[in-house]
Amino acid sequence: MDWYSIVKFLHVVSAILWVGGGFVLFLLGMLAERAGNTEDKLQAMRASGELGGRFFAPMSMLTLIFGLVMCGFWVGFSDLWIIIGLAGYATTFSIGMLIFKPTGERMGAMVAKEGVTPAVLAIGQRMMNWARFDYAVMLVIIADMVLKPTLHDIGILAGMAVVVAAGAALALGGSRQLVPSAA
């Protein structure tokens, strides 16, 4: 076994833990949302908030570091698939640090002060919408890492663009609201 294989293994394992763990929490939130179960959705959001800084951020950083090591020593940084992967990482990392982290902290403070209010639920819904876009970007990153497209792979690149656009549409359009409507 060579060093490249070891670093690639660590890159893949940290990516699985980062993306897979987050996807499970996202799925729990979606299932609770579809069932209209506010408490379960809040529990998924709490878990996401608690694990965000302690687990998901470190796993995402390890994924990046191992990827950069592979590029720096063996692969290089000029291939299109590397550029797409880095752009995708920057996007999802920014969403985590600029949206999920401060919004989760704000929600936690609001719940501690006022309890679960319609305002808290509305903020939670916006976070779920951003999570849809975040996971669309992550899906593109995974496809990118596996398929390694070049400029000649128009179908793959178009498919990636469609996935990102669909994620953006879901984020902007949302889905069923968690906040119950007045009947």
Side-chain angles (χ1 to χ4, degrees):
M1 182 175 299
D2 60 356
W3 281 106
Y4 178 79
S5 296
I6 293 169
V7 174
K8 185 176 182 179
F9 171 77
L10 294 171
H11 174 71
V12 171
V13 167
S14 58
I16 288 169
L17 293 172
W18 168 38
V19 176
F23 185 74
V24 167
L25 290 175
F26 172 70
L27 186 60
L28 289 173
M30 292 272 300
L31 292 172
E33 178 180 53
R34 290 182 191 256
N37 189 328
T38 303
E39 188 54 43
D40 283 354
K41 185 160 181 190
L42 288 171
Q43 183 60 36
M45 285 184 221
R46 278 188 214 105
S48 294
E50 290 174 13
L51 291 172
R54 293 185 198 151
F55 183 75
F56 297 125
M59 287 299 109
S60 76
M61 291 303 297
L62 286 174
T63 301
L64 176 65
I65 290 167
F66 293 132
L68 292 174
V69 168
M70 285 190 300
C71 288
F73 286 108
W74 298 287
V75 179
F77 292 93
S78 61
D79 291 335
L80 178 62
W81 66 275
I82 297 292
I83 295 166
I84 291 171
L86 288 171
Y89 178 86
T91 300
T92 190
F93 186 79
S94 296
I95 290 169
M97 296 309 290
L98 300 174
I99 295 171
F100 292 153
K101 185 178 187 306
T103 303
E105 290 170 353
R106 191 172 89 215
M107 276 182 63
M110 288 173 70
V111 169
K113 183 178 179 182
E114 306 162 12
V116 178
T117 64
V120 169
L121 296 175
I123 291 170
Q125 184 62 49
R126 284 192 296 276
M127 280 184 68
M128 282 297 293
N129 292 346
W130 275 104
R132 288 177 176 92
F133 178 69
D134 191 48
Y135 272 92
V137 172
M138 286 189 188
L139 180 61
V140 166
I141 295 169
I142 293 166
D144 178 63
M145 294 290 115
V146 172
L147 301 173
K148 297 177 179 25
T150 67
L151 283 175
H152 303 291
D153 296 313
I154 303 301
I156 293 170
L157 296 171
M160 290 175 165
V162 167
V163 169
V164 169
L170 286 171
L172 294 173
S175 69
R176 287 190 273 167
Q177 297 296 312
L178 182 62
V179 180
S181 61

